[in-house]
Amino acid sequence: DTSVELYFLRSSLAETEFYPEIGDVVDWNDYYFEINSVTEPQIIHGHQGFKHEVKCNAHRIRLSSINFSERFR
C-alpha cells in the first residue's frame, strides 16, 4: 500500500477555484490516489496566523476501484 503527502499552495487553489476534500481522487505520477485527510498547517516562522498551504494525505487505489470509463490525461 503506497501513501503520499500532497501539498497545495492556497493561492494556487484560489486561482483555480478548487479545494481538495476527503474522497477526491488525484492522478499523480501515473497512479491514482484517494485523499484520506486534509489539514492546513498554520505555523510559518513561528506565527500561527499564516495559512499558506493545504496538506493532504492520500493512499494509492486501483483504477478498477473507481468508476472511470477511461483514463483521463
Side-chain angles (χ1 to χ4, degrees):
D1 186 30
T2 304
S3 297
V4 295
E5 290 182 353
L6 305 167
Y7 293 88
F8 300 94
L9 289 174
R10 288 183 61 81
S11 58
S12 297
L13 293 174
E15 290 172 7
T16 59
E17 297 180 3
F18 169 76
Y19 188 83
E21 297 178 352
I22 294 173
D24 283 350
V25 175
V26 178
D27 180 9
W28 179 71
N29 208 20
D30 292 327
Y31 295 105
Y32 286 103
F33 294 87
E34 182 178 357
I35 295 177
N36 301 328
S37 67
V38 179
T39 57
E40 297 184 38
Q42 297 181 4
I43 298 178
I44 304 289
H45 299 289
H47 299 282
Q48 295 182 352
F50 295 111
K51 294 182 179 180
H52 293 290
E53 67 183 10
V54 175
K55 175 185 171 186
C56 300
N57 290 316
H59 68 278
R60 185 174 164 191
I61 59 174
R62 294 181 184 173
L63 184 59
S64 62
S65 69
I66 49 181
N67 197 12
F68 289 158
S69 59
E70 63 182 80
R71 189 177 182 121
F72 297 101
R73 288 282 162 214

